[in-house]
Amino acid sequence: MVDVSPEPAPSAAIDETVPSVARAYDAALGGKDNYAVDRALLAQLDAAVPEVRSIALTNRAFLIRAVRFLCYHAHIDQFLDCGSGLPTAENTHQIAQRLNPEAEVVYVDNDPVVLAHGRALLEENDYTHFIAADIFRPEQVLENAVVRSRLDFDRPLALLQVATLHHHGADEGLHPVEVMRRYIDALPSGSYVVFSHFLDPENEDSALAQRVQGILNAGISRGYFRTRAEIEEMLVGLDLVDPGIVVADDWWSDGPRLGELPAAARCIVAAVGRKP
């Protein structure tokens, strides 16, 4: 079926001839804020790894389940969503505010694509805010005036780092472990961290992980498939909620699995941890 939906309106801040990971992710989720060049990147990934869309879908489904858990079971009512990406169906504030209309959500991103498209769509009520900051420089986020005025750091809150740290290399400023340590140190006791990351499973699926990593790193972005040990190091200081670090589809799954997971879905893991 040919996609005949109109192209998103171009922005002076965006070069629509250059593909964007944020827009390619939007395309994988069935969104409309993407261009032909982004769909071409997605097709390139699909050609190398036919199940690559399952990474995007799996990741979004995990976010939905984790935010529901935090609102309903952990009674969290304030969220700091780092690397929000382009607005799509079921954004953090929509999930949280369905259960608690006064849940406070601050989104953070500095991707010009997201800045151009995102703010107007995400800031749709008085409890939802968007700031431009580099999420890999924690102090820039944590000291932001909007973050400090809208989120109460004397009470538990939720930090979302969902599919973010795998776009940050160990040689790009702060090491990913240090990035997470600074965020976790700043959280009040009783807070939660929602986390997902590309996984190098160190088994027969590693070849797939390395293939996707090669495509990403040769092009427009960075993407690192890290080992379980490397991912565990980023979550030091947290008590992980059962079932711990698992394939994202297996974190509080919505129902029984009716078929085998595709290899791509086995190459992204997720966890939710509580700061004691």
Side-chain angles (χ1 to χ4, degrees):
M1 181 176 177
V2 177
D3 184 356
V4 295
S5 56
E7 293 282 286
S11 162
I14 295 173
D15 182 353
E16 63 266 29
T17 67
V18 177
S20 155
V21 165
R23 293 194 308 254
Y25 183 62
D26 175 71
L29 293 173
K32 302 298 183 184
D33 290 307
N34 53 81
Y35 299 102
V37 67
D38 308 306
R39 296 188 288 274
L41 171 64
L42 184 60
Q44 181 187 5
L45 289 166
D46 271 335
V49 185
E51 319 98 326
V52 73
R53 288 175 190 263
S54 64
I55 293 180
L57 296 171
T58 285
N59 190 66
R60 177 59 54 158
F62 159 69
L63 181 147
I64 292 168
R65 297 194 304 273
V67 173
R68 281 201 316 248
F69 160 76
L70 291 177
C71 286
Y72 188 77
H73 293 285
H75 309 295
I76 296 294
D77 63 359
Q78 45 181 358
F79 297 80
L80 180 58
D81 188 345
C82 292
S84 60
L86 285 165
T88 186
E90 295 294 271
N91 300 290
T92 298
H93 73 282
Q94 294 163 329
I95 306 160
Q97 290 171 3
R98 191 173 298 123
L99 293 168
N100 178 356
E102 296 184 356
E104 196 86 37
V105 179
V106 177
Y107 292 102
V108 187
D109 215 307
N110 70 341
D111 184 329
V113 172
V114 177
L115 297 179
H117 289 284
R119 178 174 274 112
L121 295 175
L122 291 174
E123 290 188 326
E124 62 181 8
N125 60 55
D126 291 340
Y127 297 100
T128 308
H129 304 273
F130 185 102
I131 68 166
D134 184 348
I135 65 170
F136 303 129
R137 297 173 61 190
E139 287 75 15
Q140 192 177 114
V141 175
L142 295 167
E143 296 170 7
N144 181 274
V146 173
V147 170
R148 284 292 166 176
S149 66
R150 303 307 307 191
L151 303 179
D152 181 357
F153 278 73
D154 291 327
R155 299 192 298 112
L157 59 95
L159 169 72
L160 278 64
Q161 290 280 6
V162 178
T164 55
L165 268 295
H166 58 222
H167 293 301
H168 184 58
D171 59 345
E172 301 173 56
L174 287 178
H175 191 283
V177 171
E178 179 65 13
V179 171
M180 287 303 297
R181 186 192 67 76
R182 294 191 186 187
Y183 277 114
I184 293 169
D185 283 353
L187 297 176
S189 176
S191 294
Y192 286 81
V193 174
V194 179
F195 186 87
S196 68
H197 197 290
F198 290 161
L199 173 71
D200 177 352
E202 301 180 282
N203 59 21
E204 64 275 8
D205 292 330
S206 290
L208 179 149
Q210 294 304 317
R211 195 155 66 244
V212 176
Q213 179 171 297
I215 293 171
L216 290 173
N217 290 351
I220 56 160
S221 182
R222 298 289 183 185
Y224 302 94
F225 285 72
R226 296 187 169 104
T227 65
R228 178 173 291 273
E230 291 173 312
I231 292 168
E232 287 173 348
E233 195 176 0
M234 294 186 221
L235 301 177
V236 168
L238 301 174
D239 294 333
L240 298 184
V241 175
D242 287 338
I245 301 172
V246 293
V247 168
D249 267 314
D250 287 339
W251 197 91
W252 278 46
S253 175
D254 283 331
R257 183 176 302 140
L258 300 180
E260 184 178 358
L261 281 180
R266 299 195 296 266
C267 290
I268 183 168
V269 291
V272 174
R274 181 181 183 275
K275 182 176 177 179

